[in-house]
Amino acid sequence: MDFRDVGSPAATRVVCPDSLGLALLAAAARAVRGRDCRGLDRVPTLGQRRSVDDGPRPETLGYDATGVALPVAQVARLDADAVASWMVEHYPADTFPAVVLGSAHGAAVHLAAALGAPWLPSGFTVTVPWPGGSPGDWEGAMDWGGVVADAIVAANPEVTVRQVHDPLLRGPLCATTISLQVRWRALPPAYRSFLASRLGPGGTALMVRDIRTWPTLDLAPGHSFQLGSPVSGWSPDDYTMENPLFRRALAGLDEGSWSTPYLDAPRRCADQGGEVGFEHDLRRHAAPVHRVLYARSQALSIFVAELYRRSLAQRGGGGDCAVTSGTLVDPGRVLAAGLVPYWCESASRQAADAAEWWLAGTAAFEGVTVVPQPPGLRCEAHAGARQWRSVAAFAGERSVVDPVALGRYPLFPLPTSHATSALAGETTGADVAGPLRLTAGEVLAALRDTGPALGLLVS
């Protein structure tokens, strides 16, 4: 590998522009200033060539993905501390009553918005070009990723790197780039400074962490590999050629080769989990610190949705629900319109099933608006348009599935700003008293009261 000394890359070049964490950071930074997500107009790589009816050719997508990935020559110059500083700079020079940190989850960002608090992730996603790759050659991706990850860890001993190879989530992009989750072992200096100077007197730090596990190969100190992800809605056993759905998914990528996965490997916290040391260090630099652990993504989504609903009902609102998925999230718009947010982590059937089960079991909303992010490829792991219509059908009066999202579904993902325009007409719940604002005490009381029944571990 050619690690020429070309200088440290800017954080905007390091962090994957398509990543969930970046979309949530941008949305949270706007919400804390009372702004929506207008202007977040970058179309994800898989959605940029809309004119091709059946999706762009793999080689075209490969060119696009490589163009926004971190160049190989800059990998060894990646500066994780500089990335943390850039993230902190997203927030205005004010003090805040609370801060939410941890795993990338849309409901955590909605919670931060209601608290008037920043959200800061415990890691970030980096993609790097992979010459000569293919979606089915996960062993080759692992070998190449080992070289790249070792260079990152050598330059940044304060991080670990988890490589994730998942053709269900990244589709043809797996053939030309590798995806790395860079996770801080402890609070980076910029976060420590932020807590010391920007968290108001008595301010609360809330740590939210995904504790789902997945078979993981530990390849070197600070570097591990994960084949598939719980975000897909599938289990590790589903990523085999014995599964006809998976065979068809690979065939859709013109791939027929797939080695037997390492299903007997130790299960460790999955890609979005972050490092335990991050939380431990948080407790050394902030007080009070409370944590929320979830083993099901929908548990946190349900908690936040019900919290919003109860709080809005006390103000005479809470009758309209917005169901969004992936990077289509706008906490500022949700607050301004007085909506109840429910966030699906992906377009998976499992995520849509969870939304349906919740809506079936809770009191009916007057209106339900569904804005599903197209996943970027055809795959039976993903919910179809009919299922998203089923989610919206639980509304008592107004049932809407965003027509633009459906028109691009499933091949062409949308920019984050589309959530703003899709929810622009949702004003029936707007409160003349202004956007909802919760205190840390109210949130913690609700977590202790209802969190355990949902499967949240609160401490």
Side-chain angles (χ1 to χ4, degrees):
M1 182 183 290
D2 182 10
F3 289 137
R4 292 170 292 172
D5 189 354
V6 294
S8 297
T12 52
R13 194 72 176 91
V14 170
V15 180
C16 175
D18 291 343
S19 63
L20 173 63
L22 180 58
L24 295 182
L25 176 68
R30 281 162 170 73
V32 84
R33 298 195 295 271
R35 293 173 51 195
D36 59 30
C37 289
R38 279 176 289 184
L40 297 181
D41 296 329
R42 184 186 183 278
V43 178
T45 301
L46 286 171
Q48 289 181 1
R49 297 181 183 267
R50 178 68 175 86
S51 60
V52 184
D53 292 339
D54 293 326
R57 295 172 61 85
E59 54 267 31
T60 302
L61 285 172
Y63 177 83
D64 293 343
T66 300
V68 297
L70 178 66
V72 171
Q74 295 185 330
V75 165
R77 302 291 295 176
L78 186 156
D79 185 344
D81 286 345
V83 173
S85 297
W86 172 75
M87 289 178 170
V88 166
E89 289 169 1
H90 278 67
Y91 296 99
D94 298 324
T95 58
F96 300 98
V99 61
V100 181
L101 307 95
S103 299
H105 195 292
V109 171
H110 283 296
L111 191 60
L115 285 165
W119 175 81
L120 293 170
S122 55
F124 55 94
T125 304
V126 180
T127 59
V128 177
W130 176 27
S134 71
D137 185 16
W138 62 264
E139 292 172 306
M142 182 172 65
D143 291 341
W144 177 245
V147 177
V148 173
D150 288 349
I152 293 174
V153 173
N156 300 269
E158 71 281 4
V159 306
T160 65
V161 176
R162 170 69 59 83
Q163 182 180 355
V164 182
H165 187 81
D166 192 341
L168 297 185
L169 294 177
R170 301 192 68 232
L173 305 187
C174 286
T176 57
T177 58
I178 57 173
S179 180
L180 310 172
Q181 298 293 328
V182 180
R183 312 192 297 195
W184 286 289
R185 298 176 187 265
L187 290 179
Y191 280 25
R192 297 177 189 173
S193 176
F194 184 89
L195 292 170
S197 62
R198 308 281 296 284
L199 191 58
T204 297
L206 185 63
M207 178 73 194
V208 177
R209 185 165 179 245
D210 184 348
I211 58 171
R212 289 176 291 184
T213 61
W214 200 264
T216 302
L217 292 176
D218 293 320
L219 301 178
H223 171 218
S224 56
F225 179 86
Q226 177 181 316
L227 188 60
S229 169
V231 177
S232 71
W234 279 12
S235 71
D237 293 342
D238 292 324
Y239 286 84
T240 70
M241 294 299 275
E242 296 177 359
N243 178 3
L245 300 184
F246 186 63
R247 288 201 305 271
R248 287 198 288 271
L250 287 181
L253 299 171
D254 296 325
E255 181 64 70
S257 175
W258 185 264
S259 298
T260 302
Y262 50 91
L263 297 177
D264 58 347
R267 294 182 71 104
R268 309 196 189 285
C269 278
D271 44 305
Q272 294 295 338
E275 297 295 329
V276 173
F278 184 93
E279 178 190 335
H280 291 170
D281 198 41
L282 175 62
R283 294 185 180 277
R284 287 193 288 268
H285 290 88
V289 175
H290 300 274
R291 70 173 182 176
V292 180
L293 308 181
Y294 62 91
R296 299 181 309 138
S297 176
Q298 62 265 34
L300 186 61
S301 294
I302 292 171
F303 168 76
V304 172
E306 295 288 3
L307 176 62
Y308 263 67
R309 187 177 202 178
R310 289 193 304 272
S311 302
L312 289 168
Q314 295 172 1
R315 302 153 64 115
D320 288 272
C321 179
V323 178
T324 65
S325 72
T327 57
L328 291 183
V329 58
D330 190 343
R333 178 62 198 161
V334 163
L335 281 176
L339 300 173
V340 173
Y342 182 94
W343 182 77
C344 299
E345 67 176 344
S346 69
S348 72
R349 290 182 181 273
Q350 183 187 69
D353 285 346
E356 286 186 282
W357 278 109
W358 171 62
L359 287 167
T362 192
F365 288 93
E366 295 174 19
V368 175
T369 298
V370 179
V371 192
Q373 175 66 291
L377 69 156
R378 301 186 193 278
C379 175
E380 290 162 284
H382 302 140
R386 178 179 297 179
Q387 188 170 9
W388 292 117
R389 292 189 183 98
S390 177
V391 172
F394 284 97
E397 299 178 12
R398 298 178 300 278
S399 172
V400 178
V401 182
D402 176 57
V404 176
L406 283 186
R408 295 175 65 100
Y409 204 88
L411 292 178
F412 303 102
L414 290 151
T416 298
S417 61
H418 182 69
T420 310
S421 57
L423 300 176
E426 301 300 316
T427 59
T428 56
D431 194 323
V432 294
L436 176 68
R437 183 69 74 222
L438 300 174
T439 67
E442 290 171 325
V443 170
L444 292 171
L447 280 167
R448 296 187 182 107
D449 182 39
T450 65
L454 294 170
L456 301 176
L457 178 60
V458 181
S459 62

